[in-house]
C-alpha cells in the first residue's frame, strides 16, 4: 500500500508541470492559436524562476517572475502570428528554439548553484483521508496552486462571458468580429495568459523537482504537453486527469522495474503519445457520428479582418 | 616580359601556398554533443576537453543536444568547417562513418563505438576501472548494505559499469545488494531524481548514477544518504552526499589525438585508454570516508595501474550463477549484456 501511494505521489509531482503547461495550451488553443513553443516557454520559466529564487529566496517572487517572463516571450508569438499573420506552427517552433537557446545562454553561469526545494505542507483535515490525502493534500504550494488554476480556467472558459467569447473566437472568428468582438485582442491575451501558465509549469522544475539549473532541465516535457492539450480535448478538467495519467506513466516506468515486471521501456515511453492518438481517434469517430466537433474549428487558421469567404 | 611576369606571379603564388600551409593555423576541431554543454555531466566533461584544445590554440566548434537519430546533418555541416570532428555519443557511430567517407581529407573520431574507416577512428576510456574504485568507497559507506544505481540506457557500456560497481562494492562489503532502475534516457533530471527517490524508498543508502545530470546527488542530499557522481565532479550540487565521482578527463586524450593528426602520425584505430593515462579518475573524497577505506581503494588502484589486475580478469560469478574464470578480452567487455552476482534486478529485455 505504501508503495502504491508512493507511485501516486510521484505521479502528481511529475504531472504538475505538465498540468500547468497543458492548461496554458488549452486557453491559447481555445482562442484558436496553436502554441508549439511550450518547451521553450517552460525553459524560460524554469530559468527565470531559478535565478529569482537564487537571489531572493522567495518562492512567490520566483513563480511570479517565471510567469511574467514567459508571458513576455509569448508576446513574441502573439505579435508574429496574430499581428503579422505568420504561420502559428512556424512561430511556435521558433519560440521553442528561442527559449531553449536563451535559457542555455543565460543559464551558463548558473552551473553548480542550488536552491532549497519547496517543502510539502499538509492541508489540515484533508491530508488524513486514506490514499487521496497523502497523494493530493500533502504536497507543496505550487501543486495546490495548480488545483486553483484548473478550477479557475474551467470557470473562466465555460462559466463567464469572457470564456464564451474566447471559445467563440476559436470557433468562428469572422462571426465574432462582425459582432464587434476584438478577435486579435482576445487571442493575444489568451496566448499571453496561456504562456504565463506554461512558464509556471517550467518553474516547477527548479523550485520543486530538481532544485538546481542544468541546460534543458525540462527534458522535452513541453512536447508531451503539446500532445496533452489534444488528449484533454481542450478542457481544463480533462487536462487534470490527463496530466496525472501521463505523470503516472513516467512514475510507473521506474516502479514497475522495482516490482520486477519486465515491460519494454520503449512501450512505456510511447504510451503518452499512443494514448493521445488512440483517444483522439475514438472520440473523433464518436463525435463524427453525432456531428459534434471538439477541436476549435478555427485552430491554427490565420484571421484576416473583413475578408470575404 | 609577359613570361617574366607570369613566372613572378606563379612563384609568388606558390610561395604563398607553401608558406600558407606551413604557417597555417593549427587544425580546427569540431564536436558533436548528444546533450547540452551545461548538463553538468557527460557533455560538460567533453566540453572541458574542447576548452583545453581552445587554450592550446585550436579553433573549435561544437553543436549541442544533437539527437542520436538525426545526427548526420549536423556531422556533415561540422565536417565542412572543421578539420577534425569528434562525435561523442554511441548513436553517432553510423552517421559519422557515412560522413567520413564523403570527406576523405578530414579526420573523424567517434567516442565509445567500434566502426572504423580510413579516416575514422574510435576512442574511449576504461571508465569501468574508475567506477570499480569509486564503488569500493560506496560499498564501505553503505550501512544498510544496499546500493541503488540509476541506469541510463541499457547498453553494454552501462551494464559493464554497473557490473564493475558491483564487483568493486563487494571488495569492501561482500554481501552488498545492488538494485538498478533504468530511466531509459541519457538526460532527464526530473526522472533521474524520481528514480533515486524510488531506490532510496526501497532501502538503498548509497546512490550511484549513470545518467548525465546531478539530480541524483541532490536527491540523495535531501534524503540524507550518500551518492557517487558521474562523469564530472558533482560535489557542488550536494557536498553533504557526494562521496566521490568517477570522472572523465578528456583533455588528456583530445590534446594527444589532435597533435597526432597535426603531425601526420594519426592512424585509424581504436583507442581505449585506461586509468594509467589519466583519462578517467576519481575526485576528492567526502570527509566521512574513513582512511582505511581509502587505503583499501588505493591498493586496488595500484594493482590496476601496475597492470597486475583489471576488473574483469580475475574471475567472477554471473547473476545466473555461472562462473567466469577466463579474463575477459575487450570484445567481450564491449558486448557485456548480463549482470554479475550481487545485483538483485534483472537485465531489461528491451
Amino acid at each position: 500500500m505504501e508503495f502504491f501511494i508512493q507511485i501516486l505521489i510521484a505521479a502528481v509531482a511529475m504531472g504538475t508541470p505538465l498540468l500547468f503547461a497543458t492548461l496554458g495550451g488549452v486557453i491559447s488553443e481555445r482562442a484558436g492559436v496553436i502554441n508549439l513553443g511550450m518547451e521553450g516557454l517552460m525553459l524560460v520559466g524554469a530559468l527565470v524562476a531559478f535565478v529569482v529564487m537564487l537571489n531572493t529566496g522567495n518562492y512567490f517572487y520566483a513563480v511570479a517572475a517565471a510567469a511574467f517572463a514567459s508571458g513576455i516571450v509569448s508576446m513574441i508569438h502573439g505579435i508574429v502570428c496574430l499581428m503579422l499573420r505568420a504561420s502559428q506552427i512556424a512561430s511556435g517552433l521558433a519560440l521553442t528554439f528561442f527559449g531553449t537557446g536563451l535559457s542555455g545562454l543565460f543559464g551558463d553561469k548558473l552551473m553548480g548553484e542550488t536552491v532549497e526545494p519547496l517543502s510539502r505542507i499538509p492541508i489540515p483535515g484533508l491530508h488524513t483521508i486514506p490514499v487521496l490525502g497523502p497523494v493530493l493534500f500533502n504536497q507543496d504550494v505550487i501543486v495546490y496552486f495548480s488545483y486553483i488554476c484548473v478550477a479557475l480556467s474551467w470557470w473562466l472558459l465555460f462559466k463567464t462571458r469572457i470564456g464564451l467569447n474566447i471559445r467563440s473566437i476559436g470557433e468562428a472568428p469572422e462571426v465574432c468580429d462582425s459582432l464587434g468582438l476584438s478577435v486579435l485582442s482576445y487571442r493575444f491575451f489568451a496566448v499571453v495568459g496561456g504562456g504565463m501558465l506554461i512558464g509556471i509549469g517550467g518553474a516547477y522544475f527548479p523550485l520543486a523537482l530538481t532544485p538546481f539549473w542544468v541546460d534543458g532541465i525540462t527534458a522535452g516535457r513541453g512536447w508531451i504537453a503539446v500532445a496533452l492539450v489534444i488528449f484533454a480535448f481542450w478542457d481544463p478538467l480533462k487536462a487534470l486527469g490527463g496530466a496525472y495519467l501521463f505523470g503516472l506513466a513516467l512514475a510507473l516506468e521506474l516502479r514497475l522495474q522495482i516490482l520486477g515486471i519486465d515491460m519494454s521501456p520503449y512501450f512505456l515511453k510511447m504510451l503518452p503519445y499512443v494514448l493521445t492518438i488512440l483517444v483522439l481517434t475514438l472520440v473523433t469517430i464518436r463525435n463524427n457520428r453525432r456531428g459534434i466537433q471538439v477541436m476549435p474549428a478555427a485552430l491554427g487558421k490565420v484571421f484576416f479582418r473583413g475578408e470575404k469567404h | 616580359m609577359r613570361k617574366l611576369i607570369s613566372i613572378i606571379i606563379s612563384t609568388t603564388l606558390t610561395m604563398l601556398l607553401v608558406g600558407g600551409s606551413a604557417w597555417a593555423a593549427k587544425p580546427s576541431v569540431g564536436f558533436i554533443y548528444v546533450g547540452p554543454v551545461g548538463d553538468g555531466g557527460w557533455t560538460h566533461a567533453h566540453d572541458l576537453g574542447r576548452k583545453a584544445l581552445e587554450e592550446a590554440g585550436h579553433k573549435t566548434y561544437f553543436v549541442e543536444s544533437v539527437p542520436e537519430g538525426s545526427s548526420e546533418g549536423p556531422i556533415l555541416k561540422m565536417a565542412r568547417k572543421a578539420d577534425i570532428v569528434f562525435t561523442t555519443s554511441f548513436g553517432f557511430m553510423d552517421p559519422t562513418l557515412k560522413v567520413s567517407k564523403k570527406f576523405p581529407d578530414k579526420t573523424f573520431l567517434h567516442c565509445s563505438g567500434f566502426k572504423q574507416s580510413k579516416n575514422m577512428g574510435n576512442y574511449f576510456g576504461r571508465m569501468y576501472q574508475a567506477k570499480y574504485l569509486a564503488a569500493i568507497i560506496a560499498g564501505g559507506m553503505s550501512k544498510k548494505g544496499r546500493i541503488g544505481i540509476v541506469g541510463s540506457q541499457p547498453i553494454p557500456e552501462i551494464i559493464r559499469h554497473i557490473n564493475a560497481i558491483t564487483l568493486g562494492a563487494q571488495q569492501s562489503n561482500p554481501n552488498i545488494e545492488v538494485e538498478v532502475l533504468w530511466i531509459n534516457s541519457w538526460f532527464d533530471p526530473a526522472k533521474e531524481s524520481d528514480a533515486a527517490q524510488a531506490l532510496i524508498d526501497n532501502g538503498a543508502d548509497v546512490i550511484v548514477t549513470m545518467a548525465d545530470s546531478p539530480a541524483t546527488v541532490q536527491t540523495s542530499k535531501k534524503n540524507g544518504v550518500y551518492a557517487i557522481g558521474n562523469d564530472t565532479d558533482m560535489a557542488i550540487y550536494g557536498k553533504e552526499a557526494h562521496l566521490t565521482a568517477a570522472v572523465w578527463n578528456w583533455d588528456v586524450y583530445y590534446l594527444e589525438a589532435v597533435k597526432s593528426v597535426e603531425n601526420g602520425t594519426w592512424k585509424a584505430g581504436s583507442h581505449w585508454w585506461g586509468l594509467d593515462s589519466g583519462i578517467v579518475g576519481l575526485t576528492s573524497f567526502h570527509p566521512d570516508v574513513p582512511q582505511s577505506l581509502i587505503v583499501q581503494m588505493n591498493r586496488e588502484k595500484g594493482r590496476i595501474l601496475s597492470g597486475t589486475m583489471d576488473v574483469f580478469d580475475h574471475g567472477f560469478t554471473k547473476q545466473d550463477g555461472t562462473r567466469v574464470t577466463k579474463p575477459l578480452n575487450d570484445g567481450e567487455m564491449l558486448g557485456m549484456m548480463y549482470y554479475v552476482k550481487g545485483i538483485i534486478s534483472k537485465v531489461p529485455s528491451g
Side-chain angles (χ1 to χ4, degrees):
Chain A
M1 194 61 197
E2 183 66 14
F3 183 70
F4 175 67
I5 288 173
Q6 273 165 358
I7 295 178
L8 293 180
I9 291 174
V12 171
M14 297 296 248
T16 297
L18 293 175
L19 177 56
F20 276 109
T22 310
L23 284 179
V26 166
I27 292 176
S28 170
E29 296 200 3
R30 274 288 179 180
V33 186
I34 297 175
N35 193 345
L36 292 185
M38 289 203 210
E39 179 74 359
L41 287 172
M42 283 178 96
L43 280 169
V44 168
L47 178 79
V48 171
F50 183 71
V51 171
V52 172
M53 186 61 204
L54 202 59
N55 289 306
T56 66
N58 185 313
Y59 294 106
F60 177 75
Y61 292 160
V63 171
F68 182 75
S70 41
I72 296 280
V73 175
S74 41
M75 273 183 195
I76 302 175
H77 187 51
I79 291 168
V80 169
C81 63
L82 295 175
M83 290 166 193
L84 304 177
R85 296 169 185 162
S87 152
Q88 295 177 7
I89 306 285
S91 167
L93 287 175
L95 204 63
T96 284
F97 297 129
F98 177 68
T100 311
L102 197 72
S103 65
L105 183 68
F106 289 105
D108 198 38
K109 303 276 177 292
L110 298 169
M111 270 185 69
E113 303 280 1
T114 50
V115 295
E116 195 55 41
L118 275 170
S119 49
R120 288 183 180 157
I121 302 168
I123 294 185
L126 291 173
H127 77 100
T128 48
I129 304 171
V131 187
L132 282 184
V135 173
L136 293 177
F137 302 111
N138 185 17
Q139 293 283 0
D140 54 62
V141 277
I142 300 187
V143 173
Y144 298 142
F145 182 56
S146 74
Y147 304 157
I148 298 173
C149 285
V150 170
L152 273 184
S153 42
W154 176 82
W155 176 75
L156 176 84
L157 280 176
F158 297 105
K159 296 287 158 200
T160 66
R161 162 71 62 168
I162 297 172
L164 182 67
N165 292 345
I166 291 177
R167 285 185 291 129
S168 313
I169 284 166
E171 298 292 338
E174 295 80 11
V175 179
C176 296
D177 185 53
S178 68
L179 290 172
L181 288 177
S182 171
V183 174
L184 284 192
S185 15
Y186 270 101
R187 283 190 167 176
F188 194 80
F189 282 108
V191 169
V192 174
M196 291 170 92
L197 283 172
I198 298 168
I200 298 175
Y204 194 66
F205 285 87
L207 296 183
L209 292 177
T210 46
F212 50 82
W213 175 260
V214 282
D215 251 9
I217 195 166
T218 54
R221 298 290 191 283
W223 294 110
I224 297 187
V226 168
L228 256 172
V229 174
I230 304 167
F231 182 79
F233 279 90
W234 299 272
D235 180 338
L237 297 182
K238 287 185 186 131
L240 182 81
Y244 289 163
L245 186 68
F246 284 28
L248 186 67
L250 287 165
L252 264 186
E253 185 180 338
L254 299 166
R255 270 79 180 180
L256 284 179
Q257 296 177 43
I258 288 190
L259 292 177
I261 297 171
D262 192 9
M263 194 182 266
S264 163
Y266 304 105
F267 175 77
L268 283 166
K269 256 189 183 172
M270 69 179 189
L271 200 63
Y273 305 103
V274 171
L275 276 177
T276 303
I277 295 170
L278 199 74
V279 171
L280 194 66
T281 314
L282 289 178
V283 177
T284 311
I285 291 171
R286 194 192 67 184
N287 288 343
N288 281 351
R289 263 192 218 136
R290 296 189 197 159
I292 314 168
Q293 165 111 30
V294 186
M295 188 173 100
L299 186 60
K301 288 180 190 144
V302 178
F303 172 68
F304 291 95
R305 191 151 194 257
E307 192 176 83
K308 286 189 183 119
H309 288 272
Chain B
M1 188 61 198
R2 180 172 285 180
K3 208 170 187 181
L4 189 66
I5 291 175
S6 70
I7 286 172
I8 290 171
I9 291 177
S10 59
T11 339
T12 327
L13 274 177
T14 321
M15 279 175 70
L16 269 176
L17 273 173
V18 172
S21 64
W23 300 324
K26 296 179 159 196
S28 58
V29 189
F31 286 84
I32 306 288
Y33 297 140
V34 70
V37 291
D39 67 353
W42 172 259
T43 296
H44 179 63
H46 283 283
D47 202 51
L48 291 178
R50 180 189 66 81
K51 284 177 180 157
L53 285 170
E54 189 103 303
E55 260 169 42
H58 294 276
K59 175 98 188 100
T60 66
Y61 310 94
F62 69 90
V63 212
E64 53 183 347
S65 302
V66 175
E68 293 193 323
S70 52
S71 57
E72 198 181 325
I75 297 173
L76 196 84
K77 275 189 206 126
M78 190 56 87
R80 286 198 188 116
K81 55 183 180 189
D83 301 315
I84 305 168
V85 179
F86 290 99
T87 55
T88 64
S89 191
F90 183 77
F92 296 158
M93 180 166 65
D94 289 336
T96 308
L97 185 70
K98 213 167 151 190
V99 176
S100 78
K101 288 176 180 157
K102 288 184 193 153
F103 293 84
D105 55 330
K106 304 277 173 102
T107 309
F108 295 83
L109 288 152
H110 174 252
C111 183
S112 80
F114 51 86
K115 291 187 184 168
Q116 297 163 10
S117 69
K118 222 166 64 189
N119 58 327
M120 172 185 168
N122 314 115
Y123 66 99
F124 207 32
R126 295 183 188 274
M127 181 47 111
Y128 65 88
Q129 294 173 337
K131 298 273 183 205
Y132 174 82
L133 296 177
I136 295 175
I137 305 288
M141 292 303 286
S142 171
K143 290 179 200 75
K144 296 190 195 162
R146 193 174 174 121
I147 292 177
I149 298 184
V150 177
S152 44
Q153 305 269 22
I155 62 167
E157 173 197 339
I158 306 298
I159 289 179
R160 182 169 69 245
H161 291 168
I162 290 172
N163 286 337
I165 287 164
T166 310
L167 294 177
Q170 282 166 356
Q171 290 291 318
S172 49
N173 182 349
N175 299 320
I176 197 93
E177 283 183 332
V178 176
E179 176 162 68
V180 185
L181 281 189
W182 295 97
I183 61 160
N184 300 303
S185 166
W186 293 115
F187 177 80
D188 189 334
K191 211 156 151 194
E192 291 166 34
S193 171
D194 192 32
Q197 190 62 54
L199 287 164
I200 295 166
D201 289 344
N202 214 26
D205 63 354
V206 180
I207 299 296
V208 187
T209 183
M210 305 283 121
D212 292 351
S213 97
T216 48
V217 175
Q218 214 287 325
T219 309
S220 304
K221 176 187 153 192
K222 197 171 85 185
N223 286 274
V225 303
Y226 292 121
I228 301 271
N230 184 34
D231 294 347
T232 42
D233 191 343
M234 294 175 173
I236 41 174
Y237 295 97
K239 63 177 191 316
E240 299 87 342
H242 196 266
L243 290 174
T244 181
V247 295
W248 291 104
N249 305 309
W250 290 109
D251 52 338
V252 181
Y253 170 77
Y254 286 145
L255 290 167
E256 184 69 33
V258 168
K259 206 163 148 196
S260 70
V261 175
E262 200 177 346
N263 299 338
T265 54
W266 182 85
K267 273 193 205 72
S270 194
H271 291 272
W272 205 9
W273 289 14
L275 198 65
D276 51 340
S277 69
I279 194 170
V280 294
L282 297 186
T283 60
S284 55
F285 300 109
H286 194 287
D288 288 359
V289 179
Q291 198 55 38
S292 58
L293 204 54
I294 297 178
V295 168
Q296 187 184 8
M297 189 280 298
N298 275 332
R299 201 168 52 227
E300 292 292 302
K301 187 177 170 184
R303 291 172 68 198
I304 294 177
L305 286 177
S306 65
T308 49
M309 184 215 91
D310 198 7
V311 178
F312 298 106
D313 73 345
H314 52 292
F316 58 88
T317 311
K318 287 190 194 179
Q319 196 179 39
D320 60 15
T322 52
R323 182 87 194 144
V324 179
T325 47
K326 264 198 348 197
L328 295 189
N329 60 34
D330 283 359
E332 286 165 326
M333 275 195 262
L334 285 170
M336 198 177 248
M337 273 310 271
Y338 54 83
Y339 282 152
V340 298
K341 202 176 158 205
I343 300 174
I344 58 170
S345 317
K346 296 266 170 284
V347 175
S349 57

